[in-house]
Amino acid sequence: MPKRIVVVEDNAVNRKLVEIILSKAGYEVSPAADAEQGIALARSGHPDLILMDIHLPGMDGLAATRLLKEDPATRRIPIMALTALAMNGDEERILAAGCDAYLGKPVRHESLLEAVARLLPARGEADA
């Protein structure tokens, strides 16, 4: 059974690019255009990983991450921030909000697949 990944990204081009990269690598991808949709997909589908953009319309990705990490039903799902934020302290702030990893934009094919592969084995081990 392929690993399931929710991709929360408001930019349609970026969302489609990540979806194509992950789908071609054998992952099952559920796209979400905003935080609320991403949270709903996480709660209903219990994915193996969530890729979360930080700058989203309405609720931002950090607030969505906090909600998911506070919810017993979704707290164990790893969340990787996908963001163009590159200022001093941003990575620390993102990790402090509950994200398990951080990947800068623009997303590069190899970097994305490596980062995803690093997070997914940890989930299987944690559930064992």
Side-chain angles (χ1 to χ4, degrees), residues 7-10 15 32-39 52 56-59:
V7 177
V8 185
E9 167 65 67
D10 63 317
R15 188 173 57 247
D34 60 36
E36 291 82 0
Q37 188 180 20
I39 290 168
M52 180 75 71
L56 295 166
M59 181 188 306

Side-chain angles (χ1 to χ4, degrees), residues 17-27 103-104 106-117:
L17 174 65
V18 171
E19 186 177 354
I20 289 168
I21 292 169
L22 294 174
S23 294
K24 286 188 177 203
Y27 297 106
L103 187 63
V107 172
R108 290 198 301 278
H109 183 261
E110 301 83 16
S111 300
L112 175 63
L113 293 178
E114 287 169 7
V116 166

Side-chain angles (χ1 to χ4, degrees), residues 68-86:
L68 290 167
K69 292 298 185 174
E70 290 169 358
D71 184 340
T74 55
R75 76 170 49 138
R76 292 182 159 241
I77 302 169
I79 300 174
M80 182 187 333
L82 291 178
T83 184
L85 291 177

Side-chain angles (χ1 to χ4, degrees), residues 28-105:
E28 181 183 312
V29 180
S30 298
D34 60 36
E36 291 82 0
Q37 188 180 20
I39 290 168
L41 286 171
R43 287 179 173 158
S44 66
H46 303 287
D48 297 290
L49 177 65
I50 299 167
L51 302 183
M52 180 75 71
D53 185 19
I54 299 306
H55 289 293
L56 295 166
M59 181 188 306
D60 72 19
L62 295 181
T65 295
R66 286 197 249 342
L67 284 174
L68 290 167
K69 292 298 185 174
E70 290 169 358
D71 184 340
T74 55
R75 76 170 49 138
R76 292 182 159 241
I77 302 169
I79 300 174
M80 182 187 333
L82 291 178
T83 184
L85 291 177
M87 301 298 289
N88 233 358
D90 282 333
E91 183 172 2
E92 293 80 11
R93 188 171 56 88
I94 288 167
L95 296 176
C99 290
D100 300 284
Y102 169 97
L103 187 63
K105 291 181 190 176

